[in-house]
mmCIF file of all heavy atoms in Angstrom:
data_model
loop_
_atom_site.group_PDB
_atom_site.id
_atom_site.type_symbol
_atom_site.label_atom_id
_atom_site.label_comp_id
_atom_site.label_asym_id
_atom_site.label_seq_id
_atom_site.Cartn_x
_atom_site.Cartn_y
_atom_site.Cartn_z
ATOM 1 N N LYS A 85 6.986 -48.198 -66.366
ATOM 2 C CA LYS A 85 7.123 -47.524 -67.668
ATOM 3 C C LYS A 85 5.981 -47.924 -68.611
ATOM 4 O O LYS A 85 5.432 -47.078 -69.319
ATOM 5 C CB LYS A 85 8.478 -47.862 -68.278
ATOM 6 C CG LYS A 85 8.792 -47.088 -69.520
ATOM 7 C CD LYS A 85 10.190 -47.371 -70.007
ATOM 8 C CE LYS A 85 10.456 -46.531 -71.245
ATOM 9 N NZ LYS A 85 11.836 -46.525 -71.626
ATOM 10 N N TYR A 86 5.626 -49.193 -68.608
ATOM 11 C CA TYR A 86 4.587 -49.686 -69.520
ATOM 12 C C TYR A 86 3.212 -49.117 -69.170
ATOM 13 O O TYR A 86 2.491 -48.624 -70.028
ATOM 14 C CB TYR A 86 4.545 -51.215 -69.495
ATOM 15 C CG TYR A 86 3.450 -51.785 -70.350
ATOM 16 C CD1 TYR A 86 3.594 -51.859 -71.731
ATOM 17 C CD2 TYR A 86 2.257 -52.232 -69.784
ATOM 18 C CE1 TYR A 86 2.577 -52.366 -72.528
ATOM 19 C CE2 TYR A 86 1.240 -52.736 -70.566
ATOM 20 C CZ TYR A 86 1.402 -52.803 -71.934
ATOM 21 O OH TYR A 86 0.398 -53.299 -72.717
ATOM 22 N N PHE A 87 2.826 -49.206 -67.897
ATOM 23 C CA PHE A 87 1.488 -48.756 -67.493
ATOM 24 C C PHE A 87 1.400 -47.236 -67.385
ATOM 25 O O PHE A 87 0.363 -46.662 -67.691
ATOM 26 C CB PHE A 87 1.063 -49.407 -66.171
ATOM 27 C CG PHE A 87 0.817 -50.872 -66.293
ATOM 28 C CD1 PHE A 87 1.663 -51.783 -65.671
ATOM 29 C CD2 PHE A 87 -0.247 -51.357 -67.037
ATOM 30 C CE1 PHE A 87 1.434 -53.147 -65.781
ATOM 31 C CE2 PHE A 87 -0.481 -52.716 -67.160
ATOM 32 C CZ PHE A 87 0.370 -53.621 -66.533
ATOM 33 N N ALA A 88 2.442 -46.598 -66.927
ATOM 34 C CA ALA A 88 2.507 -45.128 -66.810
ATOM 35 C C ALA A 88 1.218 -44.547 -66.213
ATOM 36 O O ALA A 88 0.689 -43.551 -66.692
ATOM 37 C CB ALA A 88 2.820 -44.507 -68.168
ATOM 38 N N ARG A 89 0.736 -45.175 -65.173
ATOM 39 C CA ARG A 89 -0.496 -44.701 -64.522
ATOM 40 C C ARG A 89 -0.171 -43.513 -63.616
ATOM 41 O O ARG A 89 0.683 -43.611 -62.734
ATOM 42 C CB ARG A 89 -1.107 -45.832 -63.695
ATOM 43 C CG ARG A 89 -2.448 -45.466 -63.099
ATOM 44 C CD ARG A 89 -3.034 -46.604 -62.295
ATOM 45 N NE ARG A 89 -4.445 -46.363 -62.040
ATOM 46 C CZ ARG A 89 -5.166 -47.073 -61.197
ATOM 47 N NH1 ARG A 89 -4.630 -48.095 -60.546
ATOM 48 N NH2 ARG A 89 -6.439 -46.797 -61.009
ATOM 49 N N ILE A 90 -0.841 -42.419 -63.854
ATOM 50 C CA ILE A 90 -0.622 -41.209 -63.072
ATOM 51 C C ILE A 90 -1.088 -41.459 -61.636
ATOM 52 O O ILE A 90 -2.137 -42.051 -61.400
ATOM 53 C CB ILE A 90 -1.390 -40.015 -63.689
ATOM 54 C CG1 ILE A 90 -0.959 -39.793 -65.143
ATOM 55 C CG2 ILE A 90 -1.184 -38.745 -62.868
ATOM 56 C CD1 ILE A 90 0.489 -39.472 -65.344
ATOM 57 N N ARG A 91 -0.318 -40.970 -60.693
ATOM 58 C CA ARG A 91 -0.639 -41.159 -59.279
ATOM 59 C C ARG A 91 -1.918 -40.411 -58.906
ATOM 60 O O ARG A 91 -2.197 -39.346 -59.451
ATOM 61 C CB ARG A 91 0.513 -40.677 -58.404
ATOM 62 C CG ARG A 91 1.723 -41.570 -58.484
ATOM 63 C CD ARG A 91 2.801 -41.059 -57.539
ATOM 64 N NE ARG A 91 3.992 -41.875 -57.644
ATOM 65 C CZ ARG A 91 4.223 -42.980 -56.930
ATOM 66 N NH1 ARG A 91 3.340 -43.389 -56.059
ATOM 67 N NH2 ARG A 91 5.330 -43.665 -57.093
ATOM 68 N N PRO A 92 -2.651 -40.947 -57.929
ATOM 69 C CA PRO A 92 -3.888 -40.272 -57.518
ATOM 70 C C PRO A 92 -3.638 -38.869 -56.969
ATOM 71 O O PRO A 92 -4.466 -37.980 -57.126
ATOM 72 C CB PRO A 92 -4.480 -41.198 -56.454
ATOM 73 C CG PRO A 92 -3.356 -42.071 -55.999
ATOM 74 C CD PRO A 92 -2.413 -42.176 -57.154
ATOM 75 N N CYS A 93 -2.476 -38.664 -56.363
ATOM 76 C CA CYS A 93 -2.169 -37.334 -55.817
ATOM 77 C C CYS A 93 -1.879 -36.320 -56.917
ATOM 78 O O CYS A 93 -1.818 -35.125 -56.650
ATOM 79 C CB CYS A 93 -1.001 -37.407 -54.835
ATOM 80 S SG CYS A 93 0.506 -38.114 -55.517
ATOM 81 N N ASP A 94 -1.734 -36.778 -58.145
ATOM 82 C CA ASP A 94 -1.483 -35.873 -59.266
ATOM 83 C C ASP A 94 -2.705 -35.654 -60.150
ATOM 84 O O ASP A 94 -2.667 -34.808 -61.045
ATOM 85 C CB ASP A 94 -0.328 -36.399 -60.123
ATOM 86 C CG ASP A 94 0.997 -36.379 -59.382
ATOM 87 O OD1 ASP A 94 1.156 -35.508 -58.498
ATOM 88 O OD2 ASP A 94 1.857 -37.225 -59.679
ATOM 89 N N CYS A 95 -3.762 -36.437 -59.918
ATOM 90 C CA CYS A 95 -4.927 -36.270 -60.789
ATOM 91 C C CYS A 95 -6.272 -36.352 -60.065
ATOM 92 O O CYS A 95 -7.273 -35.884 -60.585
ATOM 93 C CB CYS A 95 -4.897 -37.288 -61.923
ATOM 94 S SG CYS A 95 -5.069 -38.993 -61.388
ATOM 95 N N LEU A 96 -6.307 -36.932 -58.880
ATOM 96 C CA LEU A 96 -7.577 -37.145 -58.192
ATOM 97 C C LEU A 96 -7.698 -36.270 -56.940
ATOM 98 O O LEU A 96 -8.765 -35.739 -56.660
ATOM 99 C CB LEU A 96 -7.691 -38.636 -57.818
ATOM 100 C CG LEU A 96 -9.062 -39.219 -57.573
ATOM 101 C CD1 LEU A 96 -9.994 -38.991 -58.746
ATOM 102 C CD2 LEU A 96 -8.953 -40.709 -57.286
ATOM 103 N N VAL A 97 -6.615 -36.150 -56.222
ATOM 104 C CA VAL A 97 -6.554 -35.294 -55.029
ATOM 105 C C VAL A 97 -5.252 -34.501 -55.121
ATOM 106 O O VAL A 97 -4.355 -34.860 -55.875
ATOM 107 C CB VAL A 97 -6.600 -36.108 -53.721
ATOM 108 C CG1 VAL A 97 -7.914 -36.843 -53.570
ATOM 109 C CG2 VAL A 97 -5.442 -37.072 -53.618
ATOM 110 N N THR A 98 -5.150 -33.467 -54.352
ATOM 111 C CA THR A 98 -3.941 -32.633 -54.445
ATOM 112 C C THR A 98 -3.175 -32.553 -53.140
ATOM 113 O O THR A 98 -2.246 -31.775 -53.026
ATOM 114 C CB THR A 98 -4.315 -31.198 -54.877
ATOM 115 O OG1 THR A 98 -5.252 -30.678 -53.928
ATOM 116 C CG2 THR A 98 -4.898 -31.177 -56.267
ATOM 117 N N ASN A 99 -3.536 -33.363 -52.194
ATOM 118 C CA ASN A 99 -2.930 -33.221 -50.874
ATOM 119 C C ASN A 99 -2.415 -34.528 -50.300
ATOM 120 O O ASN A 99 -2.761 -34.892 -49.198
ATOM 121 C CB ASN A 99 -3.930 -32.585 -49.919
ATOM 122 C CG ASN A 99 -5.250 -33.342 -49.874
ATOM 123 O OD1 ASN A 99 -5.510 -34.199 -50.706
ATOM 124 N ND2 ASN A 99 -6.085 -33.025 -48.908
ATOM 125 N N ALA A 100 -1.562 -35.220 -51.036
ATOM 126 C CA ALA A 100 -0.935 -36.428 -50.488
ATOM 127 C C ALA A 100 -0.072 -36.036 -49.299
ATOM 128 O O ALA A 100 0.405 -34.908 -49.207
ATOM 129 C CB ALA A 100 -0.093 -37.112 -51.556
ATOM 130 N N TYR A 101 0.111 -36.967 -48.391
ATOM 131 C CA TYR A 101 0.866 -36.685 -47.170
ATOM 132 C C TYR A 101 2.366 -36.894 -47.317
ATOM 133 O O TYR A 101 3.119 -36.575 -46.412
ATOM 134 C CB TYR A 101 0.318 -37.530 -46.024
ATOM 135 C CG TYR A 101 -1.133 -37.234 -45.755
ATOM 136 C CD1 TYR A 101 -2.103 -38.209 -45.924
ATOM 137 C CD2 TYR A 101 -1.540 -35.961 -45.364
ATOM 138 C CE1 TYR A 101 -3.442 -37.926 -45.696
ATOM 139 C CE2 TYR A 101 -2.876 -35.671 -45.133
ATOM 140 C CZ TYR A 101 -3.813 -36.650 -45.304
ATOM 141 O OH TYR A 101 -5.126 -36.372 -45.087
ATOM 142 N N ILE A 102 2.779 -37.481 -48.442
ATOM 143 C CA ILE A 102 4.200 -37.654 -48.717
ATOM 144 C C ILE A 102 4.446 -37.316 -50.184
ATOM 145 O O ILE A 102 3.510 -37.267 -50.982
ATOM 146 C CB ILE A 102 4.694 -39.094 -48.416
ATOM 147 C CG1 ILE A 102 3.916 -40.123 -49.233
ATOM 148 C CG2 ILE A 102 4.636 -39.394 -46.931
ATOM 149 C CD1 ILE A 102 4.457 -41.542 -49.127
ATOM 150 N N VAL A 103 5.704 -37.105 -50.521
ATOM 151 C CA VAL A 103 6.078 -36.848 -51.906
ATOM 152 C C VAL A 103 6.588 -38.164 -52.492
ATOM 153 O O VAL A 103 7.558 -38.736 -51.974
ATOM 154 C CB VAL A 103 7.169 -35.761 -51.996
ATOM 155 C CG1 VAL A 103 7.614 -35.563 -53.434
ATOM 156 C CG2 VAL A 103 6.670 -34.461 -51.379
#
Side-chain angles (χ1 to χ4, degrees):
K85 187 175 181 168
Y86 177 78
F87 291 112
R89 186 180 195 191
I90 302 299
R91 289 183 182 272
C93 57
D94 294 331
C95 66
L96 202 55
V97 296
T98 57
N99 54 348
Y101 300 117
I102 58 173
V103 176

